[in-house]
Amino acid sequence: MPPIDEAFSDGNLLWTADDVARDGGPAPGPDRLTLRAVSRRELAGLFRAVSNSVRAGTFRPQPSRPAPLPKRSGGTRLLKIPCALDRVVARRLYELLTPIFERLFLDNSFGFRPGRNTWQALAALEAAMRLYGAWVITPEDITGAFDHANIERILSHFARVINDRQYLALIAAVLHGSEGLNRKEGIEIGQGDPLSPLALNVHLHYAHDVPIDAEGTPPFWLRYADDLAYLTREVSEGRKVRERSADLLRQVGLTLKGPGTPTDLRDGGSVTLLGLTLSLRNDTIRYEIPDEAYTELEISLEQAHQSDDPPETARRAVYGWVGANGPAFESSADSTVPRILKLITRFGFRGCTCSKDIRTLWESAHQQWLTARGDALRKVTPLCR
């Protein structure tokens, strides 16, 4: 990495601010400052001061603004909206650290990584089923992975790879946040701040991924942020792998949510994973939309009324939801499209879209899924023979 004086010059921070303004969302932090609302000259002065504090080792984030975020499974997750200048520092750190850790992360890790998504994870899982003849899936997720992550342990993981004291001190300052050393546990999920997800990936890479992969017990496993899935040939093997995973996570103060029941798809069972329900029909993996996904769409439509352009916000919410469910097009389109239209009407957005547009978009998303699935299956086909 470049020296920290160079990496966090006011010029580099200004360039990063452009990216944050474009990608990080418009919501302001407690200071009510938005990067788009400040002139270039004013920003230059602000980042000159930030750059000086980073170089001097005195940079400390300001308090974040809490914003509850509805979860697909019910309840809320507390999203923190940091001050605009703090977002830029965290984003700059992320840009510098990501290439280093991308060389270390394992292929089975998919969440919060450049160029990786849930469809690739599902496609890899399906390909592994055929490669290993393993049809038992044990799904799990980690209870409060962000909230209960030990900061000092995470920093020790960063120190395995980063030996520059200034960088390590800055990472520590950002992760400890405005509470400083009083914060022992929990990394904030901040809007427009990708450093916390990277920190979680670093943490779970060493705490879970490396040891579980080295043991080679399950033929295949995947992790998407704090969601886990273990693929085995027998239910008994699935239970053992889950117990081992729980033990590894216990060692770093984390727990599995449970129940993590191993399910054999050959026996007619189904598993909900990464937003879709998987089952086996006629030797083909079938993807369907679980009920909780509709709850998520309802929440988005309800919140659309609070935006500046409710109909357009609702339309984008519907299209985003449909596009994310591309794998389920064949199994769910006939029943889901009428259900979507009823929800649109129920929330007062009749006319913001139509059945034909939804089907066209969904079918396009399905074709993209088939491409991702085909790529994964082609990689293992020669090995299956």
Side-chain angles (χ1 to χ4, degrees):
M1 291 191 298
I4 204 164
D5 289 1
E6 175 188 333
F8 286 85
S9 67
D10 51 350
N12 279 328
L13 289 173
L14 269 173
W15 290 329
T16 302
D18 291 337
D19 294 334
V20 172
R22 184 183 65 248
D23 303 332
D31 59 356
R32 313 311 298 177
L33 174 69
T34 61
L35 296 171
R36 295 174 181 172
V38 181
S39 71
R40 197 73 173 172
R41 182 174 181 177
E42 290 173 312
L43 276 180
L46 291 171
F47 282 120
R48 193 171 299 116
V50 172
S51 176
N52 289 338
S53 68
V54 170
R55 295 177 183 186
T58 58
F59 173 82
R60 299 293 182 271
Q62 299 299 306
S64 299
R65 178 167 66 86
L69 180 70
K71 296 172 65 174
R72 180 193 294 267
S73 57
T76 59
R77 168 177 283 174
L78 192 61
L79 179 74
K80 297 295 186 73
I81 303 180
C83 296
L85 303 183
D86 294 343
R87 294 187 211 183
V88 174
V89 173
R91 175 68 171 261
R92 183 65 181 140
L93 263 178
Y94 168 81
E95 293 172 345
L96 293 161
L97 294 171
T98 293
I100 296 171
F101 285 96
E102 276 297 306
R103 294 193 289 268
L104 299 177
F105 290 155
L106 303 183
D107 285 342
N108 305 60
S109 165
F110 290 88
F112 301 126
R113 294 184 59 187
R116 290 180 162 235
N117 55 43
T118 56
W119 290 3
Q120 291 172 332
L122 292 171
L125 179 67
E126 183 175 341
M129 291 180 195
R130 302 193 179 281
L131 174 61
Y132 298 109
W135 303 96
V136 177
I137 303 176
T138 305
E140 261 296 0
D141 62 353
I142 302 170
T143 303
F146 283 95
D147 296 335
H148 300 303
N150 181 277
I151 294 178
E152 292 308 316
R153 195 179 295 273
I154 293 174
L155 293 174
S156 72
H157 293 324
F158 273 109
R160 295 186 184 202
V161 181
I162 309 299
N163 55 22
D164 187 302
R165 291 184 179 180
Q166 286 182 292
Y167 272 104
L168 290 174
L170 181 58
I171 295 169
V174 173
L175 293 184
H176 280 295
S178 60
E179 298 175 38
L181 296 178
N182 290 326
R183 175 188 282 271
K184 306 293 184 183
E185 185 179 271
I187 46 180
E188 292 186 350
I189 313 170
Q191 185 190 48
D193 168 17
L195 186 65
S196 292
L198 173 63
L200 183 68
N201 270 340
V202 170
H203 186 32
L204 294 180
H205 170 75
Y206 288 108
H208 171 274
D209 301 357
V210 170
I212 208 80
D213 194 69
E215 293 174 8
T217 304
F220 180 82
W221 59 272
L222 69 82
R223 180 176 65 80
Y224 196 96
D226 52 1
D227 288 321
L228 306 165
Y230 305 100
L231 187 64
T232 56
R233 296 182 181 89
E234 303 294 338
V235 168
S236 58
E237 294 174 353
R239 293 194 188 100
K240 290 179 181 178
V241 172
R242 187 199 177 277
E243 290 173 4
R244 177 55 179 153
S245 173
D247 181 58
L248 288 170
L249 293 168
R250 242 188 324 265
Q251 294 175 32
V252 296
L254 297 174
T255 59
L256 293 177
K257 184 175 293 184
T261 304
T263 300
D264 194 331
L265 300 188
R266 295 168 298 185
D267 294 338
S270 63
V271 169
T272 298
L273 181 66
L274 300 181
L276 290 168
T277 298
L278 285 65
S279 59
L280 185 65
R281 306 282 178 85
N282 300 321
D283 198 37
T284 300
I285 298 297
R286 181 181 175 92
Y287 299 88
E288 297 176 282
I289 302 173
D291 287 339
E292 55 262 34
Y294 293 97
T295 301
E296 184 180 75
L297 178 58
E298 290 177 11
I299 292 171
S300 297
L301 290 173
E302 184 176 9
Q303 291 179 337
H305 286 287
Q306 303 171 19
S307 68
D308 293 334
D309 187 348
E312 176 62 17
T313 302
R315 186 183 69 84
R316 291 185 179 182
V318 169
Y319 285 3
W321 188 90
V322 168
N325 287 296
F329 175 78
E330 289 183 345
S331 64
S332 306
D334 290 341
S335 60
T336 296
V337 172
R339 189 169 177 177
I340 292 173
L341 293 174
K342 286 182 179 179
L343 284 176
I344 290 172
T345 301
R346 176 179 145 199
F347 283 94
F349 294 112
R350 176 183 287 179
C352 76
T353 187
C354 63
S355 174
K356 181 180 177 181
D357 288 347
I358 292 173
R359 281 184 173 272
T360 299
L361 174 67
W362 202 351
E363 189 166 11
S364 174
H366 183 62
Q367 291 302 317
Q368 295 174 40
W369 154 250
L370 292 178
T371 298
R373 177 179 176 272
D375 290 343
L377 291 175
R378 276 191 293 274
K379 290 179 182 178
V380 304
T381 297
L383 302 174
C384 294
R385 295 170 181 168

